[in-house]
């Protein structure tokens, strides 16, 4: 059995990551899950949050804006709507997005506007949380 997992994170725009890692933790829609080499295969939906992984003694974090994960014993593929590693996150932009989303939440006139603002707020919060971990 392999002692690493190939972690690939892909968005419609780019490949964000493709590296052998020791462990991956991802935000499944039904709760966070961890994957070690040899995990049983499964597919699941991801919510907005962070993917954490470790290579040796180094931990890294990637903000993911929801998507899907395919887990195989030696390979985890994440197809995300958008994803950024901590070092790529523009904090000023994420703070502006958070403020805009908070205003839109307060002013929302229907469920649709409220849901869109709530999702934008979650994306901004996920980005700021990951950026803080650098
Ligand atoms: P904004 O309102 O600032 O555009 P958003 O949540 O609407 O934020 P997304 O639709 O999730 O943005 O992403 C659009 C593109 O912009 C993606 O390529 C994403 O990686 C990038 N992106 C969004 N916010 C940031 C950020 N703060 N830092 C770096 N890249 C970002």
């Amino acid at each position: 059995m392999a002692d690493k997992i190939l972690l690939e994170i892909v968005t419609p725009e780019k490949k964000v990551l493709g590296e052998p890692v020791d462990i991956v933790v991802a935000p499944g829609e039904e709760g966070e899950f961890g994957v070690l080499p040899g995990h049983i295969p499964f597919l699941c939906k991801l919510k907005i949050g962070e993917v954490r992984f470790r290579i040796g003694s180094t931990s890294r974090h990637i903000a993911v804006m929801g998507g899907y994960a395919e887990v195989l014993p030696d390979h985890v593929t994440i197809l995300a709507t958008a994803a950024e590693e901590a070092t790529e996150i523009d904090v000023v932009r994420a703070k502006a997005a958070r403020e805009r989303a908070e205003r839109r939440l307060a002013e929302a006139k229907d469920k649709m506007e409220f849901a869109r603002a709530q999702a934008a707020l979650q994306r901004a919060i996920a980005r700021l949380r990951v950026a803080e971990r650098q």
Side-chain angles (χ1 to χ4, degrees):
M1 193 171 68
D3 64 347
K4 296 270 184 195
I5 310 158
L6 176 61
L7 173 60
E8 292 192 278
I9 302 184
V10 182
T11 75
E13 291 173 1
K14 60 179 176 174
K15 181 163 178 173
V16 178
L17 191 90
E19 289 191 43
V21 308
D22 296 304
I23 180 171
V24 185
V25 179
E29 240 185 13
E30 280 158 31
E32 198 173 65
F33 60 87
V35 178
L36 287 164
H39 201 289
I40 52 162
F42 70 96
L43 274 176
C44 75
K45 243 179 138 175
L46 298 179
K47 59 185 180 186
I48 297 168
E50 75 176 311
V51 170
R52 310 196 299 270
F53 58 96
R54 191 168 51 71
I55 303 173
S57 57
T58 305
S59 289
R60 284 162 56 188
H61 302 82
I62 293 191
V64 290
M65 303 305 125
Y68 293 89
E70 179 193 44
V71 175
L72 299 173
D74 59 357
H75 199 156
V76 173
T77 307
I78 291 180
L79 302 175
T81 314
E84 303 100 36
E85 188 147 11
T87 49
E88 294 173 326
I89 293 174
D90 178 340
V91 172
V92 173
R93 176 174 169 179
K95 283 185 176 162
R98 182 178 62 188
E99 278 166 26
R100 221 168 29 247
E102 282 169 347
R103 257 196 324 274
R104 283 166 51 203
L105 263 186
E107 292 165 2
K109 290 184 190 60
D110 55 38
K111 274 190 185 168
M112 180 72 90
E113 277 183 25
F114 191 85
R116 285 203 179 125
Q118 206 170 31
L121 182 59
Q122 283 172 359
R123 293 196 297 275
I125 289 172
R127 287 182 169 119
L128 291 170
R129 191 168 294 152
V130 165
E132 270 174 19
R133 297 191 185 276
Q134 280 188 67

